[in-house]
Every structure is written in structure tokens, then in C-alpha cells.
């Protein structure tokens, strides 16, 4: 069965498992290997048009100096040559790793062709996984105010007092008072500074701290001034090592009324010191599944099983995977690509990737002052007509939308 042509299915190359620990000699099973072969062509098929700007290939680079296994010499993706990137940790003989190839021009298609070229110094080329990604646009959402109970004061074992107030909060009349309500302003929780280096024991300044036994768990309401879509919340906390229950990361975050497990920095769940936790609101499973928060304000409560919680920053993001300018939480058409506006009929409309344009009788594209991608909820004309066809048996073509079709949508 060696070197038989495989077609019509999928297997270990796209099963999600990247072998980044054991080399091909010690553990051959996750790998697909080719021995002294000419360039290997791989064709990957998607059930819909995908936009790809990165290819990640997990390989073994075991023993290139002795001619055994080593990484590919180069990769060709849709006709463009790329030198296979070396392991960031070294040059050769570094074992398995993931090579990340950033495409010069994104591939927008239902199929991707790739050729792997073996390094002539080596006999074998071994691959455990191939992954295609596209960097999503991340839109940061900055609240104009937040309301909460101020932080507290900790007395250390040597009798010193460390204050964990929001002392940059404006209006500042209560910012240096312990456990009083702060309202109508904002301070260091949204000032952009994340303390990811030092623990609260080393520097109290960047941290706000709340003691459960004396006051409360952190309960903060953030206001944005308009309805926003929040797909992701990032919370910078201290998870101090060897604190024996005095302070630790939260175990749960209640965001918009839904409970999310607070992510640990380490896979084993052990304390890791200061870090930024990323909570994706759509990742919550079960009957009470998570979803983007679409509101003008959001309330966050942090729950802990320790005496103290320390936070240095809270960030809010909207995610726009297809980069059409419409956050995923309200995007009616994922994977939007521009219409081919060169084909649209006179007086019809199409989306060119930035604006909706109308084709004039002279063949010019004129930007519409009425229609935009936000108004169509992230849908191009082709997507609008496709969806209308499924519902109402309306025509589908690339000649653009009429004014009536856009208005109905």
C-alpha cells in the first residue's frame, strides 16, 4: 500500500493532532512520511469558499545532519514558493515543531494545492498535521465608564499596608477610600496597562484587589455609550505562586448573566503568576450556551475560592473573522468575499470589499451614499441573492443587486 494515491477523504493530516513532542523514530503513528520522493502534491478541499493567509505544517526535523528525517526545504502554495521556516528554537536537529508560513497573498477558494519539497540532505520527510488559518480582525471596545466597589488595603506580615485602590479613577474623590462605590468615571482597569511581569507582592500600584472576607467579590459594570458586540473579554490577573489560598485567580467569571470557567494559564491548572485570561463568549457549551453580548453595558462578576482577587486590566473585543467590518456576533453572512463588480449590470449594486457601488450606464462604479456592509449585516450582494433564492426562488447571479432587492433585505 506504499505510495498509493488517496482521494475523496481525510485522515491524520487534518485530525487536529500535532505531534510536537515525539520524533518519527520514537513514535511513527501520528506522522505521514515520504522516503526519497519527488515533490509531494497535497490538495485540500473545503465545503465552502475559505480565506486563508497562514498555513501551519507540523513536521519532524530529527537528524538532518545525518541524512535521516528533516523538515521540507520549501513549500509551494498555489504557485508561490516559500522557504520552509526553521524551528525558532534553533537550526537543525531540533525534533518536531510547527512551521508557520504566512502567505504573501491570501488564498480565497474552496481548494488549496500545495507541494512539499524534500531537503536533498535527508532521506525522509515526515508531517503530522496541516492547518489553515486566517487572522481575524480584533476590534477593541473601550468603555467610557465603569461602576464598582473600590479595592481594599492588605496588611502584610511585617505590619506594612499595601493599598489596592483604583487611585487613578476620575472623578477621584473616592478613589483613595477602601471599599466605597465608584461611579461615573473610569481608571486603571481600562487604561491599557496589563501587569504581566510582577506579582501584587512586588508592586501594588497596577493592581486592584478585593478581599472576600472583608468586602466582596469584584462586581463591575462597564458602559459603552452605544450598543456594541462583545465576543471576547480579556482579564489580566495575578495568580501568585505559593500563596496557600491567600490570593489566586478567579474560578469563574459571570459575564452578562452567564457563567464562564475562568481559564488557567497552565494546562495543569497550577498557579502561574500574572497572566492575561482570554474568555471567548461563544465557547460556553451546554443548554445555557454562550454567545456574544450585544448591549450598551455589561456586568462582570469574578468568583474566587481564595481570600483575595487581584486584577490589573479588563479588555473587550469584537471578532470579525471575515474582515468585512461587521462583528461576528451580528454578522448574518460569514466568510464574506467581495462581489465581482466588473460584471454587475447598469444601475445594480455590488460590494467591492470596502463600499457598495452602483454601476452607471457608462460602466463606472459610484459609491452608494445609502447602502453599506453594516446595513446589509455583513452580506455581499451575491450572498443576499443566494439567501433569497433559498427562501423565495429569486434569481441568483453575479450581475448585482437591484435597489428593490437591497431594500427588501
Amino acid at each position: 500500500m506504499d505510495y498509493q494515491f488517496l482521494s475523496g477523504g481525510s485522515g491524520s493530516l487534518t485530525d487536529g493532532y500535532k505531534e510536537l513532542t515525539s520524533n518519527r523514530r520514537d513514535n511513527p503513528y501520528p506522522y505521514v512520511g515520504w522516503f526519497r520522493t519527488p515533490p509531494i502534491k497535497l490538495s485540500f478541499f473545503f465545503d465552502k469558499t475559505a480565506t486563508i493567509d497562514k498555513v501551519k505544517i507540523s513536521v519532524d526535523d530529527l537528524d538532518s545532519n545525518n541524512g535521516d528525517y528533516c523538515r521540507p526545504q520549501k513549500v509551494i502554495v498555489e504557485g508561490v514558493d516559500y522557504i520552509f521556516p526553521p524551528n525558532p528554537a534553533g537550526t537543525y536537529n531540533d525534533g518536531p515543531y510547527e512551521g508557520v508560513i504566512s502567505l504573501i497573498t491570501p488564498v480565497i477558494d474552496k481548494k488549496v494545492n500545495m507541494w512539499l519539497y524534500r531537503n536533498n540532505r535527508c532521506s525522509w520527510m515526515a508531517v503530522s498535521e496541516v492547518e489553515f488559518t486566517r487572522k481575524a480582525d480584533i476590534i477593541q471596545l473601550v468603555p467610557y465608564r465603569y461602576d464598582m466597589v473600590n479595592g481594599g488595603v492588605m496588611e502584610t506580615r511585617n505590619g506594612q499596608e499595601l493599598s489596592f485602590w483604583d487611585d487613578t479613577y476620575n472623578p477621584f474623590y473616592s478613589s483613595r477610600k477602601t471599599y466605597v462605590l465608584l461611579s461615573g468615571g473610569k481608571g486603571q482597569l481600562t487604561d491599557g496597562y496589563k501587569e504581566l511581569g510582577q506579582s501584587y507582592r512586588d508592586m501594588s500600584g497596577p493592581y486592584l484587589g478585593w478581599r472576600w472576607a472583608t468586602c466582596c467579590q469584584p462586581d463591575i459594570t462597564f458602559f459603552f455609550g452605544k450598543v456594541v458586540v462583545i465576543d471576547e473579554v480579556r482579564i489580566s490577573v495575578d495568580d501568585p505562586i505559593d500563596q496557600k489560598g491567600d490570593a489566586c485567580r478567579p474560578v469563574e467569571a459571570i459575564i452578562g448573566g452567564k457563567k464562564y470557567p475562568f481559564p488557567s494559564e497552565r494546562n495543569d491548572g497550577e498557579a502561574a503568576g500574572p497572566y492575561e485570561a482570554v474568555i471567548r463568549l461563544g465557547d460556553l457549551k451546554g443548554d445555557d450556551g454562550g454567545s456574544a453580548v450585544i448591549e450598551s453595558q455589561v456586568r462582570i462578576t469574578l468568583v474566587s475560592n481564595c481570600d483575595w482577587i487581584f486584577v490589573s486590566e479588563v479588555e473587550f473585543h469584537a471578532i470579525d473573522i471575515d474582515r468585512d467590518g461587521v462583528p461576528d456576533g451580528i454578522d448574518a453572512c460569514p466568510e464574506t468575499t467581495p462581489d465581482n463588480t466588473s460584471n454587475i449590470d447598469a444601475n445594480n449594486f455590488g460590494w467591492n470589499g470596502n463600499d457598495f457601488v452602483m454601476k452607471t450606464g457608462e460602466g463606472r462604479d459610484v459609491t452608494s451614499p445609502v447602502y453599506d456592509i453594516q446595513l446589509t449585516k455583513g452580506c455581499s450582494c451575491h450572498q443576499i441573492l443566494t439567501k433569497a433564492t433559498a427562501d423565495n426562488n429569486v434569481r441568483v447571479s453575479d450581475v448585482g443587486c437591484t435597489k428593490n432587492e437591497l431594500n427588501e433585505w
Side-chain angles (χ1 to χ4, degrees), residues 239-268:
D239 190 17
I241 301 170
D242 299 329
Q243 283 298 291
K244 300 178 181 179
D246 292 344
C248 63
R249 68 178 182 271
V251 295
E252 184 178 82
I254 304 173
I255 302 174
K258 293 191 175 182
K259 298 179 180 179
Y260 295 83
F262 200 87
S264 169
E265 174 73 351
R266 290 176 41 158
N267 292 333
D268 60 8

Side-chain angles (χ1 to χ4, degrees), residues 98-231:
E98 182 179 64
V100 180
I101 300 164
S102 297
L103 304 187
I104 297 173
T105 303
V107 174
I108 304 175
D109 208 331
K110 291 185 177 181
K111 177 184 178 182
V112 176
N113 293 312
M114 179 190 309
W115 287 261
L116 298 179
Y117 282 72
R118 178 176 56 87
N119 192 317
N120 291 330
R121 291 196 306 264
C122 304
S123 301
W124 281 91
M125 181 169 58
V127 178
S128 67
E129 187 75 9
V130 179
E131 185 177 276
F132 302 92
T133 66
R134 186 187 190 192
K135 182 181 178 181
D137 275 354
I138 296 179
I139 305 166
Q140 185 169 345
L141 308 167
V142 181
Y144 78 92
R145 70 176 259 204
Y146 57 83
D147 296 351
M148 66 173 190
V149 171
N150 201 8
V153 174
M154 172 185 283
E155 184 174 337
T156 64
R157 290 182 176 86
N158 59 11
Q160 290 183 321
E161 287 190 345
L162 297 176
S163 61
F164 296 98
W165 301 319
D166 194 346
D167 49 16
T168 66
Y169 194 90
N170 188 13
F172 56 85
Y173 50 82
S174 296
S175 63
R176 291 180 175 272
K177 296 180 181 179
T178 297
Y179 301 137
V180 297
L181 178 64
L182 301 180
S183 179
K186 64 178 182 178
Q188 63 194 57
L189 272 187
T190 57
D191 64 1
Y193 182 78
K194 308 169 186 179
E195 182 50 64
L196 302 178
Q198 294 182 282
S199 172
Y200 78 92
R201 292 172 294 175
D202 304 319
M203 53 187 311
S204 61
Y207 288 104
L208 275 71
W210 297 267
R211 189 183 183 196
W212 171 241
T214 307
C215 170
C216 48
Q217 308 271 26
D219 189 351
I220 312 162
T221 301
F222 297 86
F223 300 84
F224 296 90
K226 62 180 180 179
V227 174
V228 295
V229 179
I230 303 171
D231 294 296

Side-chain angles (χ1 to χ4, degrees), residues 8-28:
S10 62
S12 59
L13 280 186
T14 56
D15 64 359
Y17 180 76
K18 307 171 185 179
E19 181 51 71
L20 302 177
T21 305
S22 299
N23 59 55
R24 172 71 174 80
R25 186 182 296 160
D26 296 334
N27 185 20

